[in-house]
């Protein structure tokens, strides 16, 4: 192992360090108030333009369980969940995210959320009756990343379906795994999210210190949310976790059998970052959904941060399979608290796609090889090679 800039190169090809080597010269103000004690990502409030078509995708195909529904919204949960929902599908005019919702430890943490965001002038709106069915007193804000976030504690309790084996399909979605956001300025977004009490678990950088992405957690997994650099603020994906890899393969087989394979955007595959097994789907509105399993425990306070080189061809797919360009470019709009789309700002730093795909991009499998990767493996960095 060798050490460089406080990071230690491991035999796995990535670096580890104690604190994420991410710094910003453009920080949002840090509130003096104590942040709310966030437990985990809890649910996404997602606007869809054809509720019936979305119901087919999320209920009939993916097997999420309907807790409650009416003409305007469907409230869905995964099989291990005991609160009312993990996903709200809400009929609306523009496909977009209305809120990324986090559950906090105590009712008093809602007071802390109000004070924390109000101190720096963010828009804050608290609804004692809740913003959705099944959720009580909750606070929504537009945060310094431009994202609509919710903090909630009271939630209707429903039965865990974990023991209801007859209800568990081969492609069972067991838990809400994480959100993934697209901010234009990743170090700024990371600083803010650290101020909110999250820890970085992994990131992607280059030798010049440009940060392309970072993964951040509250619960002891690799992440509750991630920052994938891009034009934004936008939502890159929502992820549900399965127990086993075979559950993900069952989703693929079902999509094939139904002649819905065009919903598969990328994968299945093994991530380098997080070491998880993955599949990316696109719903009828183009919202991206990841099915994910088997990342690792991160709960110790000295959990090492993993830093990947952006040119490492195994960072996004451990088997070196190419990332499709749409995965880098496409994402969903996010809304303000009145339901209007937040303006999208262009990323000004180099994009991960530009430095790994196309004329100026390059990637490696072994960093010390003088030879380029074989022609058949150059899809990652030669646009059109995978066509
Ligand atoms: Fe993800």
């Amino acid at each position: 192992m060798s050490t460089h800039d406080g990071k230690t190169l491991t035999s796995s090809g990535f670096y580890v360090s104690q604190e994420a080597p991410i710094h910003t010269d453009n920080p949002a103000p840090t509130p003096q108030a104590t942040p709310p004690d966030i437990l985990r990502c809890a649910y996404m409030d997602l606007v869809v333009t054809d509720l019936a078509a979305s119901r087919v995708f999320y209920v009939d195909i993916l097997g999420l369980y309907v807790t409650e529904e009416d003409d305007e919204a469907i409230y869905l949960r995964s099989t291990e969940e005991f609160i009312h929902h993990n996903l709200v599908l809400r009929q609306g005019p523009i496909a977009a995210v209305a809120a990324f919702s986090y559950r906090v430890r105590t009712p008093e943490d809602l007071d802390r959320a109000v004070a924390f965001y109000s101190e720096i002038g963010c828009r804050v709106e608290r609804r004692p009756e809740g913003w959705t069915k099944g959720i009580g007193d909750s606070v929504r804000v537009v945060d310094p990343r431009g994202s609509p976030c919710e903090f909630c504690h009271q939630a209707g309790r429903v039965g865990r379906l974990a023991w209801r084996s007859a209800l568990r399909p081969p492609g069972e979605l067991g838990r809400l795994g994480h959100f993934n956001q697209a901010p234009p300025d990743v170090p700024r977004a990371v600083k803010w999210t650290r101020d909110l009490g999250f820890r970085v678990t992994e990131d992607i950088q280059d030798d010049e210190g440009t940060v392309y992405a970072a993964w951040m957690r509250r619960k002891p997994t690799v992440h509750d949310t991630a920052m994938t650099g891009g034009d934004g603020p936008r939502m890159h994906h929502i992820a549900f976790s399965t127990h086993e890899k075979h559950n993900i393969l069952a989703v693929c087989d079902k999509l094939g059998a139904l002649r819905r394979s065009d919903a598969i955007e990328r994968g299945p595959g093994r991530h380098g970052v997080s070491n998880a097994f993955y599949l990316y789907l696109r719903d009828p509105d183009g919202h991206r959904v990841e099915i994910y399993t088997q990342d690792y425990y991160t709960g110790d306070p000295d959990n090492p941060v993993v830093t990947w080189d952006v040119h490492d061809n195994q960072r996004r797919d451990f088997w070196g399979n190419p990332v499709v360009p749409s995965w880098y470019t496409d994402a969903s709009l996010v809304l303000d608290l009145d339901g209007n789309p937040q303006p999208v700002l262009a990323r000004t730093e180099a994009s991960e796609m530009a430095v790994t795909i196309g004329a100026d991009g390059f990637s490696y499998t072994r960093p010390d090889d003088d030879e380029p990767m074989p022609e058949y493996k150059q899809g990652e960095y030669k646009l059109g090679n995978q066509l």
Side-chain angles (χ1 to χ4, degrees):
M1 298 204 294
S2 64
T3 300
H4 175 65
D5 291 342
K7 299 179 295 186
T8 301
L9 180 62
T10 71
S11 58
S12 298
F14 52 70
Y15 293 83
V16 294
S17 58
Q18 199 49 59
E19 290 298 328
I22 298 174
H23 309 283
T24 180
D25 52 13
N26 181 31
T30 300
Q32 295 298 306
T34 303
D37 185 353
I38 296 169
L39 295 171
R40 59 169 170 136
C41 59
Y43 79 91
M44 182 177 284
D45 190 353
L46 188 64
V47 181
V48 299
T49 61
D50 183 339
L51 194 58
S54 294
R55 194 185 194 286
V56 169
F57 181 79
Y58 287 99
V59 179
D60 299 344
I61 297 176
L62 293 186
L64 285 172
Y65 197 76
V66 179
T67 300
E68 193 171 347
E69 63 184 318
D70 55 35
D71 290 342
E72 294 167 2
I74 307 173
Y75 301 82
L76 300 169
R77 72 183 194 267
S78 51
T79 54
E80 288 188 10
E81 189 52 77
F82 73 94
I83 65 170
H84 189 265
H85 55 257
N86 298 128
L87 178 65
V88 180
L89 303 174
R90 182 185 307 288
Q91 176 74 42
I94 301 167
V97 174
F100 301 90
S101 183
Y102 295 94
R103 191 153 192 244
V104 297
R105 187 171 299 277
T106 67
E108 292 71 35
D109 285 302
L110 299 178
D111 303 332
R112 293 188 185 99
V114 170
F116 188 75
Y117 285 93
S118 298
E119 181 183 329
I120 57 166
C122 292
R123 183 167 168 200
V124 177
E125 193 171 332
R126 184 170 188 168
R127 290 190 181 172
E129 73 283 12
W131 288 72
T132 70
K133 284 185 180 176
I135 300 290
D137 188 11
S138 37
V139 175
R140 286 197 179 180
V141 305
V142 175
D143 74 12
R145 299 169 299 192
S147 293
C149 288
E150 177 180 286
F151 302 94
C152 63
H153 176 73
Q154 289 178 341
R157 285 174 173 252
V158 291
R160 277 202 163 110
L161 303 172
W163 293 268
R164 302 278 300 278
S165 298
L167 295 176
R168 295 168 53 184
E172 177 189 4
L173 304 186
R175 306 174 195 174
L176 176 64
H178 57 263
F179 307 135
N180 192 307
Q181 301 169 252
D185 185 335
V186 173
R188 178 182 161 87
V190 166
K191 169 69 165 64
W192 170 255
T193 312
R194 276 173 151 169
D195 287 346
L196 188 56
F198 288 67
R199 291 180 67 96
V200 175
T201 56
E202 301 204 21
D203 60 80
I204 295 175
Q205 303 197 19
D206 62 20
D207 284 344
E208 286 75 50
T210 300
V211 184
Y212 297 88
W215 285 256
M216 304 186 74
R217 67 99 181 164
R218 287 292 302 177
K219 65 177 163 27
T221 60
V222 170
H223 55 318
D224 286 281
T225 191
M227 309 299 154
T228 298
D231 301 347
R234 293 186 297 167
M235 183 274 285
H236 193 271
H237 61 267
I238 178 174
F240 288 91
S241 299
T242 66
H243 296 116
E244 301 285 348
K245 294 185 283 291
H246 67 72
N247 303 119
I248 292 178
L249 301 180
V251 172
C252 295
D253 282 338
K254 186 171 184 179
L255 287 164
L258 294 172
R259 286 273 158 191
R260 296 285 294 249
S261 60
D262 52 349
I264 299 175
E265 182 185 36
R266 184 184 154 203
R270 169 79 66 188
H271 282 309
V273 172
S274 79
N275 194 231
F277 201 79
Y278 73 87
L279 171 71
Y280 291 99
L281 308 176
R282 301 292 288 271
D283 85 356
D285 280 297
H287 295 309
R288 185 178 292 105
V289 179
E290 181 181 18
I291 317 294
Y292 175 98
T293 192
Q294 297 169 353
D295 59 349
Y296 57 91
Y297 167 76
T298 60
D300 284 20
D302 57 349
N303 179 68
V305 177
V306 172
T307 296
W308 295 80
D309 177 5
V310 73
H311 298 295
D312 184 340
N313 194 40
Q314 296 191 182
R315 76 201 182 287
R316 289 289 186 186
D317 185 285
F318 203 55
W319 309 330
N321 283 324
V323 178
V324 292
S326 64
W327 191 90
Y328 285 122
T329 58
D330 296 358
S332 298
L333 294 171
V334 301
L335 303 178
D336 67 18
L337 301 187
D338 298 317
N340 301 311
Q342 285 284 74
V344 174
L345 305 176
R347 177 174 167 86
T348 55
E349 289 186 294
S351 75
E352 188 171 340
M353 186 170 82
V355 301
T356 57
I357 301 180
D360 298 329
F362 73 92
S363 297
Y364 60 78
T365 304
R366 290 169 294 276
D368 299 329
D369 267 8
D370 293 331
E371 296 293 312
M373 289 202 294
E375 184 74 21
Y376 59 79
K377 206 66 176 172
Q378 291 181 5
E380 165 75 359
Y381 65 94
K382 270 195 174 177
L383 192 59
N385 208 65
Q386 67 270 39
L387 300 179

